[in-house]
Amino acid sequence: MAFLMQHMLGDKLKNMTGGKEDTDEKADGKETAASKGMSREEFEEYQKQLIEEKIARDQEFATKKAERANLRVHLRDKYRLPQSAQDDATVQMAGDDLDIPEELAKMVDEDEEEEEINDSFLGKLQNMDVDFDSIKAKAQSTMTEVKQAAEDKCVVM
């Protein structure tokens, strides 16, 4: 009913009040060239710029998101934590454009080198045929000999 009254009386009331039009409300809340005070060509160029800026922001966001996922993957590798399929998928989607912080890369490389050294030393110990009982007996006999020599030379002991 209100629509009918506005339709019938609206034009007459506009003429009486001076005929001011609300161009912002004509397009159901959407921006139009007239609402921005631009020509049609300027408005289309403005819309294209907005779309290009949005695409650039989205790409930058995706890159940052992938870099953070890459960082998490490397930290999980470093601390031997379980992998996340979501992070792996994010890194794969981004491709090879990801940067890893230099400090983290150095830390990971150093840890890998230390692990290789430790693994090789432990591997050597395990592969060697060492009789620890004989080494222990030899060390104990050496200690007793040193004590006896010290007692012989020192009056206080």
Side-chain angles (χ1 to χ4, degrees):
M1 184 73 176
F3 173 75
L4 184 60
M5 293 297 288
Q6 184 181 5
H7 184 65
M8 290 176 59
L9 300 175
D11 293 335
K12 293 178 185 175
L13 288 175
K14 283 183 186 177
N15 289 337
M16 290 174 63
T17 59
K20 294 181 181 177
E21 294 183 6
D22 293 334
T23 57
D24 292 339
E25 297 178 14
K26 278 189 174 180
D28 297 328
K30 294 183 181 179
E31 293 181 343
T32 61
S35 69
K36 288 287 191 179
M38 302 178 191
S39 68
R40 182 179 174 94
E41 294 81 24
E42 290 174 337
F43 186 71
E44 288 174 0
E45 187 176 324
Y46 171 73
Q47 290 294 331
K48 286 179 184 177
Q49 274 184 325
L50 288 178
I51 291 170
E52 289 172 1
E53 289 172 0
K54 183 181 183 306
I55 290 170
R57 281 193 313 268
D58 290 345
Q59 287 176 343
E60 189 174 319
F61 174 75
T63 303
K64 291 289 184 184
K65 186 176 178 181
E67 286 176 356
R68 289 189 295 267
N70 193 25
L71 180 67
R72 286 191 298 269
V73 166
H74 278 61
L75 287 173
R76 284 191 182 104
D77 286 343
K78 178 181 179 197
Y79 295 110
R80 292 187 175 93
L81 298 173
Q83 296 295 324
S84 170
Q86 183 179 7
D87 286 343
D88 291 337
T90 305
V91 170
Q92 287 178 357
M93 284 175 39
D96 295 333
D97 296 341
L98 301 178
D99 295 330
I100 184 170
E102 292 178 17
E103 297 168 1
L104 177 65
K106 288 179 185 176
M107 288 172 51
V108 170
D109 291 340
E110 289 173 0
D111 287 345
E112 287 176 358
E113 290 173 5
E114 288 177 11
E115 289 173 7
E116 288 174 4
I117 292 170
N118 291 341
D119 288 343
S120 63
F121 178 72
L122 291 175
K124 288 179 183 178
L125 279 178
Q126 290 174 351
N127 291 337
M128 292 175 65
D129 292 328
V130 178
D131 187 17
F132 288 108
D133 293 331
S134 65
I135 293 174
K136 181 180 175 183
K138 192 174 186 180
Q140 286 177 344
S141 66
T142 305
M143 287 300 293
T144 55
E145 288 175 11
V146 169
K147 282 183 183 178
Q148 287 176 356
E151 286 175 359
D152 293 340
K153 292 182 181 177
C154 184
V155 179
V156 177
M157 287 180 97

